Amino acid sequence: MSNKVHIRRLATGVPGLDNLLGGGLPEFSFNLIAGAPGSGKTTLAHQIMFSLANPDNRALFFTVLGEPALKMLRYQQQFPFFDIDKVNDSIRFVNLSADLLEGDFDRVLARIAEEVKAYAPSLVFVDSFRSVVQSARQMEKGDASLQHFVQQLGMQMTSWQATTFLIGEYLLPEAEASPVFTVADGILWMSLNLRHNSMVRKMQVVKMRGQAQAPGLHTFRISDEGIQIFPRAIVQQTTAHDLSSTVSTGEQRIQMGVPGLDDMLGGGLPVGYSLLVVGPSGSGKTILATEFLAEGARVGEPGVIASFEKSPSQLLNNKLQTLVKAGQVGVIDTRSLDLSIDETLHDLIAMINRMQAKRVVIDSLSGFELALAPQFSEDFRGSLYRMIAELTSMGITVLMIAELEDRYTDLRFSPYGSAFLADAILVQRYIEIAGQFKRVLSVVKVRGSAHSKDIRLFDITGNGIVIGEILSGYDGIMSGRPTVGP
């Protein structure tokens, strides 16, 4: 029999936040929402409050700012989570700015206690708590008074059986010396990152007592719908048992849709593998990806394509347009710049689950990197690794396209050293034969599987890609004179 106290976790109503917190907010916890001005602290607090508040779980929102609650609500009511019927019914706003101006912490604490006793809320919010800190520093013995105030407030909030939130504009140096960070059960840190005219919002769960939270910085957006968080993809540790049950043995393989290519791959591409298709411009990478998706549709395996180099209208050739209209292939709208890999992964997984997709195409890695905000492109390889690991762990087979300059005199297998991402690599190149450019392809690797070592000619026709004869006697230099074998 377990003697552990059960702590109920509250669903916050903020997409992605419960995952960061480890399943939700602990009931009766004492939390701090901190960050720079404009980072979204008040919006986050209101979104949580309107989601949780009801006649049986009422909320008190104390404002210690000079602006009236009416002005604040004027902007917050633009979001769909705002419910005017809850105001003055299950949500009450109280302005403490006049009490704070007197500089009497005991009076402020007494006023809060009076309101809580009279209203009996399940949720209590104080915004902005930094105003209390600033007032303390202007008083004699301010820090001591503040510490006493925070301790008393924390104890009273615990005794009220309320889940509480203190909201404030804090900077990191202030955080290290602030007593409120010591007594808080949970700390949510919100930040703004501005670089090269690109602004990215991030959130970090600094502390959440009693439960494991998602580590690191996580991207979030404030849209017309409110705040949405995109938890950072984290590669899970794999046990020997997991390896035996999840790693492809090569027994299950999918067909690529190009006659002859499956034989080159050793019988097809193993399910759940990531395939990197590299080659110069015009070598047929996107056409190969189209055949890959079309073959999936033919055998009942829907697919998803995310294009970062072309708009959806430019991307969709006749075959893809037909597949999309039939609902067999979904297209991710990559919108504009300032993307994050975690946000893209969120959109991909949502469409994969909706369509029950088995195949994913990313066209291309080079365009993907350019579409990212500068803050994310610095760690492109690491973030992309987590993304591909997440998709393949779901049993999705991923085809990635990468632009690769053909230098003719040397052979590279991937741009930016991204070959480590792939379980299999297919290289497309140009060569010169009899005064004409010809296309050739070869399979560089298929992890854990035998595959062809041949370099083969191929052509692009009205029926798709046609693989031809084996190239022999070619030294890899443009001026060389290759011969064609059977």
Side-chain angles (χ1 to χ4, degrees):
M1 180 177 177
S2 175
N3 294 321
K4 290 196 303 184
V5 175
H6 175 70
I7 299 178
R8 189 163 73 100
R9 297 177 181 178
L10 308 177
T12 61
V14 180
L17 181 55
D18 293 345
N19 292 340
L20 262 62
L21 299 175
L25 272 170
E27 190 177 27
F28 309 141
S29 58
F30 187 39
N31 303 286
L32 176 65
I33 301 176
S39 57
K41 302 180 299 299
T42 299
T43 300
L44 178 66
H46 277 82
Q47 195 164 343
I48 294 172
M49 179 175 65
F50 277 95
S51 174
L52 291 174
N54 57 55
D56 296 324
N57 295 284
R58 298 191 295 179
L60 261 178
F61 198 101
F62 294 99
T63 61
V64 292
L65 296 170
E67 64 177 4
L70 184 61
K71 179 182 177 182
M72 177 176 58
L73 294 179
R74 179 169 178 253
Y75 295 101
Q76 291 298 315
Q77 67 181 324
Q78 306 303 314
F79 295 111
F81 61 75
F82 184 92
D83 186 351
I84 190 63
D85 294 333
K86 291 187 176 183
V87 178
N88 295 327
D89 179 18
S90 53
I91 296 175
R92 184 181 176 193
F93 291 88
V94 178
N95 195 321
L96 296 176
S97 58
D99 300 271
L100 185 63
L101 287 175
E102 298 177 4
D104 187 348
F105 283 137
D106 291 336
R107 173 57 192 154
V108 174
L109 190 61
R111 176 75 189 282
I112 292 175
E114 290 170 5
E115 296 288 348
V116 169
K117 183 177 180 180
Y119 198 66
S122 300
L123 304 162
V124 176
F125 298 80
V126 180
D127 182 13
S128 156
F129 194 67
R130 191 181 184 215
S131 299
V132 178
V133 177
Q134 291 173 329
S135 295
R137 290 174 178 170
Q138 295 171 2
M139 299 168 53
E140 294 183 2
K141 300 181 180 179
D143 289 340
S145 298
L146 175 61
Q147 184 171 1
H148 176 74
F149 172 79
V150 171
Q151 290 173 343
Q152 291 298 313
L153 183 60
M155 287 188 293
Q156 289 200 28
M157 286 179 168
T158 302
S159 67
W160 293 329
Q161 295 293 285
T163 306
T164 59
F165 302 84
L166 305 183
I167 305 153
E169 298 171 1
Y170 289 93
L171 302 177
L172 285 174
E174 294 178 324
E176 295 175 359
S178 177
V180 69
F181 282 77
T182 303
V183 299
D185 299 313
I187 301 174
L188 300 179
W189 198 277
M190 306 174 74
S191 61
L192 291 172
N193 298 277
L194 183 63
R195 183 178 177 190
H196 297 166
N197 296 323
S198 172
M199 186 179 71
V200 174
R201 302 177 188 269
K202 293 189 177 183
M203 181 181 296
Q204 179 184 7
V205 182
V206 178
K207 176 168 75 169
M208 187 57 61
R209 284 178 176 153
Q211 59 195 53
Q213 63 270 10
L217 295 170
H218 307 267
T219 309
F220 73 95
R221 283 187 182 270
I222 302 178
S223 66
D224 292 338
E225 301 298 313
I227 288 178
Q228 181 174 9
I229 302 167
F230 307 99
R232 178 171 172 264
I234 300 174
V235 179
Q236 303 295 328
Q237 292 185 345
T238 305
T239 64
H241 177 268
D242 294 331
L243 284 171
S244 64
S245 60
T246 61
V247 172
S248 175
T249 61
E251 296 178 0
Q252 287 185 294
R253 293 181 179 249
I254 63 173
Q255 307 305 300
M256 296 294 297
V258 176
L261 182 55
D262 294 328
D263 291 337
M264 294 181 68
L265 291 167
L269 186 64
V271 172
Y273 265 34
S274 56
L275 169 65
L276 180 63
V277 179
V278 297
S281 177
S283 60
K285 301 182 296 298
T286 300
I287 294 176
L288 177 63
T290 300
E291 300 298 340
F292 172 75
L293 292 172
E295 177 65 16
R298 189 185 70 81
V299 298
E301 297 176 355
V304 175
I305 182 168
S307 175
F308 298 94
E309 292 189 347
K310 307 177 182 70
S311 66
S313 59
Q314 294 173 316
L315 166 72
L316 301 181
N317 53 40
N318 291 335
K319 181 174 286 189
L320 270 177
Q321 286 179 354
T322 301
L323 295 173
V324 171
K325 289 178 181 178
Q328 295 171 307
V329 171
V331 180
I332 292 291
D333 182 5
T334 56
R335 293 168 293 188
S336 59
L337 300 178
D338 295 354
L339 290 174
S340 77
I341 286 185
D342 294 320
E343 184 175 356
T344 304
L345 177 60
H346 173 273
D347 293 344
L348 274 172
I349 290 178
M351 183 169 285
I352 287 169
N353 291 334
R354 185 167 63 252
M355 298 185 61
Q356 294 298 297
K358 300 298 181 183
R359 304 184 181 206
V360 166
V361 169
I362 300 174
D363 185 8
S364 67
L365 296 185
S366 307
F368 191 7
E369 184 179 21
L370 289 174
L372 294 176
Q375 293 90 332
F376 300 113
S377 60
E378 291 179 351
D379 187 33
F380 178 67
R381 290 206 312 163
S383 298
L384 186 61
Y385 169 72
R386 293 193 300 271
M387 175 179 175
I388 299 304
E390 181 77 13
L391 291 173
T392 54
S393 70
M394 298 169 58
I396 304 299
T397 306
V398 182
L399 188 153
M400 303 174 286
I401 292 174
E403 187 82 15
L404 190 64
E405 178 186 357
D406 197 334
R407 298 181 180 177
Y408 303 104
T409 57
D410 61 6
L411 183 61
R412 292 182 298 149
F413 297 145
S414 70
Y416 314 117
S418 56
F420 75 98
L421 293 168
D423 299 305
I425 299 177
L426 180 67
V427 174
Q428 298 176 339
R429 303 192 73 199
Y430 290 117
I431 64 169
E432 183 192 21
I433 299 180
Q436 289 187 333
F437 278 127
K438 298 291 185 179
R439 297 181 178 93
V440 296
L441 62 80
S442 56
V443 178
V444 174
K445 79 170 183 180
V446 179
R447 184 168 287 141
S449 172
H451 60 85
S452 171
K453 308 299 190 298
D454 296 329
I455 300 176
R456 303 191 73 104
L457 290 164
F458 75 96
D459 203 0
I460 299 174
T461 70
N463 296 321
I465 293 177
V466 176
I467 296 179
E469 299 170 305
I470 298 172
L471 197 67
S472 62
Y474 181 59
D475 60 9
I477 300 176
M478 185 176 176
S479 60
R481 292 293 179 262
T483 59
V484 177

